[in-house]
Amino acid sequence: MVEKILDRVLPTWRASVPSENNKLLNRWSQHREAAQRADVALQRDAEIRERLGDDAPQLSAATMHPWAWDGARALWQSGHFRQAVTAAARKVNAETQNKVDRRDASETALFLNVFSKDAPKPGQPRLRLMPDDGSDTFRSVHRGAAAFAEGCFAGIRNPNSHEDGLPELPEHEALEQLAAISVLARWVDSATVER
């Protein structure tokens, strides 16, 4: 494990850290010296990022909405990123159906309906991200949520599910897609059901 860490932090450590001390002192002296150098390199890199403004925030799947991450976790951990994002979208769809107690619609049709600005109808409750005060903000928020949900399913979930032969998503792209699904999950979870 130590060698794997050293390979990542100091790729040339085997050649640049002397190994002749291994025979004279003990067989771990090269590792100890490489670990000390790696520690300094990590501290220096962190300081440079902090002082030069390259200390960008990191996105962790574990901090995303549980519906998104719980849906994706098992496939993600096995490196099936495209399938993980699809599973997260399915989980958010199912949780939305549960919240509004509907099985007659799913995905785009469901989200366009539940985020509709129209008053609820029998069997068609609405999700409200804010109270309907008749404002432009209310209309904008709900129109945006419906459009965002449609984009998540049309632009992320559908291609990931229906296109055969697509290469595996790079992890960072899959993480971006998972973050979009997480935003939708958070909106649905925090919304009030209006019947």
Side-chain angles (χ1 to χ4, degrees):
M1 180 57 76
V2 170
E3 289 182 352
K4 288 181 182 180
I5 294 169
L6 292 173
D7 287 341
R8 178 169 281 184
V9 177
L10 295 173
T12 63
W13 73 273
R14 292 176 198 271
S16 64
V17 178
S19 60
E20 57 272 357
N21 288 344
N22 287 351
K23 295 176 184 119
L24 300 175
L25 300 173
N26 69 48
R27 66 188 197 114
W28 299 110
S29 63
Q30 182 186 27
H31 289 86
R32 184 175 53 249
E33 185 175 338
Q36 290 169 336
R37 290 182 185 190
D39 184 40
V40 170
L42 289 171
Q43 289 177 19
R44 191 175 336 121
D45 287 348
E47 183 180 0
I48 289 169
R49 281 193 310 275
E50 182 181 321
R51 293 182 189 265
L52 297 180
D54 195 21
D55 198 15
Q58 299 292 312
L59 183 61
S60 168
T63 62
M64 292 185 190
H65 192 278
W67 294 349
W69 181 233
D70 290 350
R73 178 182 288 129
L75 288 162
W76 194 278
Q77 290 172 339
S78 64
H80 296 93
F81 303 126
R82 187 178 298 282
Q83 289 175 312
V85 172
T86 298
R90 287 185 182 132
K91 171 89 169 153
V92 171
N93 180 73
E95 293 294 347
T96 304
Q97 287 177 321
N98 291 339
K99 183 163 184 156
V100 296
D101 196 27
R102 289 187 66 183
R103 300 292 179 276
D104 63 318
S106 66
E107 299 183 353
T108 299
L110 174 68
F111 286 95
L112 291 175
N113 189 273
V114 298
F115 284 126
S116 169
K117 299 174 298 278
D118 298 337
K121 299 176 184 174
Q124 294 184 9
R126 304 293 187 233
L127 291 177
R128 297 300 183 218
L129 297 169
M130 62 179 286
D132 185 355
D133 58 2
S135 68
D136 288 342
T137 301
F138 171 84
R139 288 187 291 281
S140 178
V141 163
H142 290 85
R143 185 181 73 244
F148 185 78
E150 183 176 15
C152 285
F153 283 92
I156 295 173
R157 187 259 190 233
N158 289 349
N160 284 344
S161 298
H162 302 303
E163 290 297 320
D164 292 333
L166 290 177
E168 184 56 75
L169 280 173
E171 186 174 12
H172 69 280
E173 287 181 29
L175 190 60
E176 291 168 354
Q177 291 183 5
L178 189 62
I181 301 297
S182 178
V183 169
L184 180 59
R186 199 166 306 282
W187 287 350
V188 170
D189 193 25
S190 67
T192 303
V193 179
E194 186 177 286
R195 297 186 188 279

